[in-house]
Amino acid sequence: MLLLHGICPTHLHANSSQHPNIVFVLADDLGYGDIGCYNPDSNIPTPHLDRLASQGIRFTDAHSPCTVCTPTRYSLMTGQMAFRIPNGGRVFSGAGGPSLIADDRLTLPELLQHNGYTTACFGKWHIGLTFFDHSGMPIHDGGPDAVNRIDYSRRIKGGPIDHGFDRFFGTACCPTTDWLYAFIDGDRIPVPPVEKLDRSTLPQHPYSNDNRPGMVAPDFDLEEVDIQFLQKSQRFLERHVQETPDKPFFLLHSTQAVHLPSFPGDQFKGKTDSGPHGDFIFELDYVVGELMKTLDSLGIADNTVVMFSSDNGPEVPTVYHMRHDHNHDGARPWRGVKRDNWEGGHRVPLLVRWPGHIAANTTSDQLTSLTDVFATVADIVGATIPNSAAEDSFSLLPELLGQQGSQPIRPYLLQQGFGGKKYLAIRQGKWMYLAHQGSGGNNYAKHKLLQEYQLPNNAPQAPGQLYDLESDPGETRNLYHEYPAIVNKLQQQLDSTLESGRSAPPRQPNRRR
């Protein structure tokens, strides 16, 4: 596949003898204020994530590339903003697809494979794939009827196995929200769904109203999905160390937690004073702790880079009910929630630990995006990124190593709301410019849970929004009319990056650290 990128795979290689292992844990719908190390007023204990922060670096100005999951996951895997590709604003469900990742698009796990890594992904995929019906025709339908047309004897195309992962166990889309409640093992579903989900048997509370009445497999327990994913990751780590101890690995652990419905496993129910969703966050913290414990027990923690983040901000019902019922604010201190292009929709936790390389208990205010994971990992490995890949990715390695100083890593940051190119934004320094009216996602005037959070619009005639995040971090006053020169500058920068197809500078040939 890499020959399609116009380069020989050997050009991607670096000496693998000293490469560290890499573990990336991607949470779902976890807000900036949901964990203690980012929110001193949090009412949910997150001791393992807090410990991870104390052992490495905590980024305070990190962002998901999009305010919803599918585009963010695409951008994490490719280093490219999803709005640059066809259907880059979509969120898949059911048998929806095909994969957003083109066959000739270099992915992060592919890059690592060609640098001697074993690669594995466990959990939620949600970047699209292709199921086939009994006549061999592809199914690209996110509705309930399409699930009944799937021929489960046929190989699934376009999933993790086709985009750089040696091993995969997980789900096509959101594990407990979808029309298809079944596990994919590699490129097939070994235990197909056989009956419609009976939602009356599931917990009933304000955080449980998000799962569709889809088809469920007999081995699919909606309340224990994250423990299943954890066990798969732990077994992978144990077997890898036992069978190929001298080979580095890349593990993407993609959780269900804490996407609605909030179904914490049995051992976590009632473990916090913050209801089912608080218990669910507590379970997520436990999963991270168990993965770190496994690295310790296998003696590989010191040679493993651990990264943790979230795919977007917290969900609407979650924020509303947690604020009202448990005095907990997952979006704190930002305006907006999932789907919004305001800060609360995309400012996310980002923690990185690399013993002996990253100083413990450090904090960075560098502006960064999850698109930057691609270039950062390539820099760690010392691999060349072709000019046709990772067009929106900047390396964080100098900042991780304490070598960046006060210079910004990236000149600006691109954001997309829910809808691809329709809702774009650009951040430069203290200025945040939204090239659209409204939130870019949720309708605050019509959503009954959001109406109380609607702020007065001081510039209703302005076609866009400009905020000074230094003086107004809550994005309460639109300065569009007050600073036309700034608006023009940022709009021109946005137009330029749309025209050029990239925000990162062109790659230098044969780049090495």
Side-chain angles (χ1 to χ4, degrees):
M1 180 181 296
L2 288 177
L3 288 174
L4 298 177
H5 299 285
I7 56 174
C8 175
T10 56
H11 291 167
L12 298 170
H13 288 181
N15 187 343
S16 64
S17 61
Q18 301 299 320
H19 290 348
N21 307 307
I22 300 167
V23 174
F24 195 105
V25 181
L26 183 64
D28 201 325
D29 291 4
L30 183 78
Y32 188 94
D34 275 328
I35 56 179
C37 58
Y38 282 91
N39 181 5
D41 294 327
S42 170
N43 284 323
I44 302 165
T46 52
H48 301 294
L49 286 166
D50 296 345
R51 180 167 62 92
L52 180 61
S54 71
Q55 294 174 342
I57 188 169
R58 178 173 64 93
F59 286 85
T60 60
D61 206 352
H63 300 261
S64 60
C66 186
T67 60
V68 288
C69 46
T70 295
T72 285
R73 291 161 192 272
Y74 172 86
S75 297
L76 174 65
M77 287 293 95
T78 65
Q80 181 191 45
M81 292 296 292
F83 69 76
R84 299 192 187 281
I85 64 169
N87 298 314
R90 289 193 62 181
V91 173
F92 292 110
S93 63
S99 174
L100 288 184
I101 305 174
D103 290 342
D104 61 350
R105 167 61 55 175
L106 178 66
T107 67
L108 177 59
E110 282 178 333
L111 182 76
L112 290 171
Q113 277 184 333
H114 287 275
N115 279 275
Y117 278 72
T118 298
T119 58
C121 174
F122 299 107
K124 172 180 173 178
W125 173 240
H126 213 184
I127 312 178
L129 35 69
T130 298
F131 292 97
F132 295 89
D133 63 19
H134 290 274
S135 66
M137 295 299 294
I139 304 171
H140 296 144
D141 186 347
D145 294 339
V147 173
N148 294 319
R149 293 165 44 210
I150 297 174
D151 181 354
Y152 292 100
S153 69
R154 295 180 183 270
R155 180 183 184 274
I156 302 164
K157 180 182 176 182
I161 298 299
D162 289 336
H163 291 296
F165 286 106
D166 297 310
R167 298 186 183 108
F168 172 67
F169 180 92
T171 58
C173 302
C174 297
T176 64
T177 311
D178 202 25
W179 296 110
L180 175 60
Y181 300 104
F183 292 118
I184 301 173
D185 192 346
D187 56 8
R188 283 179 168 79
I189 291 180
V191 184
V194 295
E195 60 184 359
K196 190 173 181 179
L197 178 69
D198 181 3
R199 293 189 292 179
S200 68
T201 64
L202 297 170
Q204 303 296 314
H205 48 67
Y207 313 93
S208 66
N209 302 316
D210 202 50
N211 53 322
R212 299 179 176 97
M215 297 295 291
V216 62
D219 68 338
F220 198 93
D221 186 341
L222 275 74
E223 298 181 69
E224 300 295 341
V225 163
D226 274 301
I227 297 305
Q228 178 89 305
F229 294 158
L230 170 62
Q231 291 170 350
K232 292 293 184 180
S233 284
Q234 288 176 311
R235 290 193 193 108
F236 164 76
L237 293 171
E238 292 163 355
R239 289 173 182 169
H240 181 88
V241 170
Q242 181 181 9
E243 297 171 3
T244 54
D246 296 327
K247 190 175 183 181
F249 64 81
F250 170 55
L251 168 62
L252 173 63
H253 184 91
S254 179
T255 72
Q256 153 67 12
V258 289
H259 192 291
L260 294 180
S262 298
F263 290 157
D266 284 343
Q267 70 187 95
F268 305 100
K269 294 176 181 177
K271 294 298 183 182
T272 73
D273 296 324
S274 298
H277 192 70
D279 296 343
F280 206 20
I281 293 174
F282 186 72
E283 178 177 0
L284 170 67
D285 182 77
Y286 169 85
V287 167
V288 174
E290 287 299 295
L291 288 173
M292 292 195 296
K293 182 192 295 185
T294 301
L295 296 176
D296 288 336
S297 67
L298 295 173
I300 57 175
D302 287 347
N303 191 38
T304 301
V305 181
V306 176
M307 302 181 180
F308 173 87
S309 192
S310 176
D311 63 353
N312 47 248
E315 180 59 281
V316 174
T318 299
V319 169
Y320 178 87
H321 290 292
M322 290 299 286
R323 284 173 176 173
H324 281 260
D325 300 340
H326 301 288
N327 194 31
H328 174 85
D329 188 354
R332 182 188 185 271
W334 312 110
R335 179 187 185 185
V337 293
K338 179 179 178 179
R339 300 179 193 85
D340 295 337
N341 241 351
W342 297 315
E343 290 293 291
H346 51 77
R347 192 177 291 221
V348 292
L350 176 59
L351 308 173
V352 187
R353 183 187 75 176
W354 189 10
H357 298 270
I358 297 174
N361 203 29
T362 54
T363 301
S364 172
D365 62 359
Q366 281 280 353
L367 180 63
T368 186
S369 168
L370 294 189
T371 59
D372 298 334
V373 172
F374 194 115
T376 302
V377 170
D379 225 0
I380 290 172
V381 171
T384 298
I385 300 177
N387 204 43
S388 59
E391 293 93 335
D392 298 297
S393 189
F394 292 77
S395 176
L396 302 179
L397 185 58
E399 182 73 359
L400 298 181
L401 301 180
Q403 300 170 353
Q404 183 67 24
S406 60
Q407 292 299 311
I409 287 174
R410 46 164 57 245
Y412 58 88
L413 180 77
L414 299 172
Q415 294 292 155
Q416 71 179 84
F418 191 17
K421 287 185 179 180
K422 185 178 180 181
Y423 297 112
L424 296 182
I426 184 169
R427 165 85 180 280
Q428 189 169 52
K430 68 178 184 176
W431 297 108
M432 182 64 177
Y433 171 62
L434 284 67
H436 57 81
Q437 296 179 323
S439 77
N442 297 297
N443 188 325
Y444 278 63
K446 294 183 178 180
H447 200 303
K448 64 180 182 179
L449 298 185
L450 291 175
Q451 289 173 353
E452 66 180 87
Y453 305 120
Q454 187 174 11
L455 298 180
N457 186 354
N458 66 285
Q461 304 305 315
Q465 302 165 68
L466 180 70
Y467 298 104
D468 179 347
L469 294 181
E470 281 187 4
S471 63
D472 181 24
E475 296 173 290
T476 63
R477 181 170 178 78
N478 184 1
L479 302 176
Y480 185 96
H481 294 305
E482 282 87 336
Y483 294 92
I486 299 296
V487 169
N488 290 336
K489 174 187 174 184
L490 293 176
Q491 183 63 59
Q492 289 174 8
Q493 185 66 72
L494 187 57
D495 293 341
S496 175
T497 190
L498 287 169
E499 182 179 353
S500 68
R502 62 188 310 121
S503 58
R507 308 289 178 186
Q508 297 299 316
N510 299 322
R511 170 180 163 275
R512 289 286 190 273
R513 268 195 75 80

